[in-house]
Amino acid sequence: MKGVSLAHPITIVKGRNALLYDINGKEYVDFTSGIGVTSLGHANPELVKTVTEQLEKLWHTCFMVTNYPSCAELAEKLAKIAPGVSEKQVLFQNSGSEAVDNAIKIARQVTGRYYIVSYENSFHGRGAYGFALSATGKWKPYKVGFDPLPPGVELIPYPYCYRCPFKQEYPGCGLACLDYVKKWFINTRVPLERTAGFLIEVVQGEGGYVVAPLDYVRELKKFLEENNVLLIDDEVQAGWGRTGKLWAIENFGVEPDIMTTAKAIANGLPLSAVVGRKELMEKTHPGSFGGTYGGNPVSCAAALKVIEVMQRDRLPERAVELGEMVRKRLNELYEKYEIVGDVRGLGVMQAIELVKDRKTKEPASSETSKVIDKARDKGLLLLKAGLYHNVIRLHPPLTIEKEILEKGLDLLEESLKEVLKV
Ligand SMILES: Cc1ncc(COP(=O)(O)O)c(C=O)c1O
């Protein structure tokens, strides 16, 4: 089907930690992790064992039909490790989009308020054709031809300091984008007393690894709390250790009211969750949430093992260490090649934004595609991101061997050099 794009026209048959092998036996260093999913590596032996054991015991009963241990244990665990101090409860779904849809449903139902405020240049999903797509702040390709989308979701500018929509410089701007929300947006577009929640990725994933300033997130939380508006934190891409903390929002010292998680939660088996403050979750209407497959026993067993390994092997701390290695190399690329306009990220979630000219910041979109294609030929898989498809984002597994990480970074530089013919 033409509507589905393919980043790399190759067929992968096997994987081992950070390496993938195609049908011809060619080896690739994987800096995609299936879009930030296989954080514990491909064919992780501990996960293979856990999943096999669970398959032999129980595949499915449906969490709306009976209880089963892996689901209950995982809900308890997630409630415990979620950011902040409040008591939490959990709703399981299958994908990130469904988690976001349900987070919005919860926010609307329990507050009795209509509006959700989301961000330009965000991505919250497309699968469920619901609120997640409404809340996504990029028109092409995600929203093309799908109107009308569910109403009541309004977008505001993200604090994307490299391309500030207000043409200001951080920190001298005094958070002009938040000022706009407080003084203009809520008076002209969306009244706070009718707003259920603000939905934010504190590090935008598909948007190109844009990290919100620390004071922006803290000020936003304060403002929402003062006005009884919920903070909904989308951790689908940035969660699970990638930013150096288990949850990206922990880097900001802020507790969300509701959080969504998916992707790396079960290292590739379909699973997502909404984790909300118990006080809110207890107010939901009986029977108004659910789904046949959410919280599948096999996915839940895998997720329990993911949590055990993350904590035992201190993978968030490893993400800091790996991130420092990556950042050093990306900074060197910035020093050597004019095309690298910005280097940014948190932990091992690092990216470069390519531009034709550092002053005008004209996006180098076609060069970005060429670098990614060249890298694949050389045995490195990369992913694009960003509004203008000019960001190369790195998503290595958190278990990647350091030599393999360096090899991948060498291949990235070689590819850049060859495309630029320098
Ligand atoms: C932040 C964020 N939210 C939601 C989603 C949607 O997740 P899914 O593709 O599992 O529906 C994504 C997917 O990339 C994402 O990055």
Side-chain angles (χ1 to χ4, degrees):
M1 180 195 182
K2 210 170 156 185
V4 180
S5 64
L6 180 65
H8 297 291
I10 53 176
T11 302
I12 296 297
V13 289
K14 198 170 76 173
R16 261 278 163 243
N17 201 17
L19 296 174
L20 286 171
Y21 299 88
D22 73 9
I23 35 173
N24 302 313
K26 181 169 170 173
E27 183 181 277
Y28 299 88
V29 175
D30 184 16
F31 277 7
T32 75
S33 295
I35 323 188
V37 171
T38 51
S39 287
L40 266 55
H42 297 287
N44 180 302
E46 284 184 272
L47 285 171
V48 171
K49 184 165 177 285
T50 299
V51 166
T52 312
E53 283 169 6
Q54 182 61 47
L55 273 173
E56 282 167 357
K57 274 193 269 183
L58 183 75
W59 291 16
H60 180 77
T61 69
C62 181
F63 68 0
M64 298 188 301
V65 177
T66 74
N67 288 314
Y68 45 91
S70 60
C71 182
E73 278 170 38
L74 181 60
E76 246 173 61
K77 197 93 210 194
L78 268 175
K80 221 175 253 161
I81 63 173
V85 292
S86 321
E87 262 193 274
K88 311 281 194 314
Q89 284 185 350
V90 176
L91 166 72
F92 289 116
Q93 296 284 297
N94 304 287
S95 67
S97 310
E98 285 176 309
V100 172
D101 268 358
N102 281 279
I104 292 177
K105 282 169 70 182
I106 293 167
R108 269 188 166 176
Q109 195 182 60
V110 305
T111 62
R113 294 172 174 192
Y114 175 67
Y115 286 109
I116 294 292
V117 177
S118 178
Y119 284 87
E120 292 165 1
N121 198 43
S122 65
F123 184 77
H124 297 289
R126 48 182 159 191
Y129 197 15
F131 295 119
L133 189 54
S134 284
T136 288
K138 184 174 179 184
W139 192 264
K140 257 187 193 170
Y142 307 123
K143 294 177 159 182
V144 175
F146 295 140
D147 337 41
L149 291 166
V153 182
E154 298 283 332
L155 305 180
I156 54 174
Y158 193 80
Y160 185 172
C161 299
Y162 181 67
R163 293 187 184 277
C164 175
F166 296 91
K167 300 264 182 277
Q168 303 251 358
E169 292 257 337
Y170 177 80
C173 63
L175 299 178
C177 50
L178 193 54
D179 212 43
Y180 159 78
V181 175
K182 290 180 182 174
K183 297 195 178 135
W184 192 263
F185 179 79
I186 60 164
N187 292 312
T188 56
R189 302 269 299 279
V190 171
L192 274 179
E193 63 274 17
R194 294 203 63 206
T195 304
F198 274 48
L199 170 66
I200 187 169
E201 298 164 87
V202 290
V203 183
Q204 287 191 326
E206 299 302 307
Y209 287 11
V210 187
V211 185
L214 186 81
D215 48 347
Y216 181 95
V217 178
R218 290 188 176 167
E219 282 293 311
L220 175 70
K221 167 74 180 174
K222 198 165 143 245
F223 172 65
L224 298 182
E225 218 165 44
E226 284 165 3
N227 291 286
N228 293 317
V229 176
L230 302 177
L231 177 65
I232 309 170
D233 168 31
D234 185 346
E235 294 268 346
V236 167
Q237 187 154 169
W240 295 108
R242 201 150 277 282
T243 63
K245 303 269 186 203
L246 189 58
W247 309 109
I249 203 160
E250 288 175 321
N251 291 287
F252 300 81
V254 161
E255 175 171 352
D257 297 292
I258 299 175
M259 176 186 93
T260 56
T261 174
K263 287 196 186 280
I265 185 171
N267 215 54
L269 293 189
L271 183 66
S272 67
V274 185
V275 187
R277 285 197 290 111
K278 182 176 174 187
E279 179 210 337
L280 297 170
M281 303 295 260
E282 285 287 339
K283 286 189 192 150
T284 50
H285 186 79
S288 59
F289 292 87
T292 304
Y293 294 113
N296 172 278
V298 184
S299 299
C300 287
L304 281 165
K305 186 51 89 176
V306 166
I307 295 172
E308 185 192 318
V309 175
M310 284 244 166
Q311 291 179 331
R312 184 196 67 202
D313 298 348
R314 298 173 179 272
L315 291 183
E317 286 168 42
R318 191 159 195 270
V320 174
E321 208 186 323
L322 299 176
E324 281 164 7
M325 288 169 63
V326 173
R327 189 58 175 245
K328 179 173 172 289
R329 294 291 301 273
L330 298 185
N331 284 340
E332 284 166 16
L333 298 185
Y334 179 84
E335 294 305 324
K336 287 195 230 171
Y337 308 103
E338 278 287 303
I339 194 169
V340 179
D342 195 26
V343 179
R344 57 179 180 247
L346 255 188
V348 76
M349 194 171 178
Q350 297 286 336
I352 47 176
E353 176 156 356
L354 303 189
V355 290
K356 288 186 196 291
D357 179 321
R358 281 191 182 173
K359 272 219 176 77
T360 64
K361 300 182 181 175
E362 186 189 343
S365 310
S366 67
E367 291 83 350
T368 305
S369 292
K370 284 181 194 155
V371 173
I372 288 175
D373 290 347
K374 178 65 76 184
R376 180 180 58 249
D377 293 346
K378 289 178 167 295
L380 169 67
L381 298 183
L382 295 166
L383 283 175
K384 265 190 277 213
L387 190 60
Y388 306 110
H389 310 285
N390 65 325
V391 177
I392 297 179
R393 58 174 152 163
L394 309 188
H395 253 326
L398 307 185
T399 51
I400 190 170
E401 298 83 355
K402 288 184 181 164
E403 320 77 76
I404 304 291
L405 182 69
E406 289 289 3
K407 180 180 169 189
L409 292 165
D410 288 343
L411 292 173
L412 170 62
E413 178 161 8
E414 278 174 32
S415 310
L416 201 57
K417 267 168 92 170
E418 283 183 32
V419 167
L420 295 173
K421 301 193 173 56
V422 288

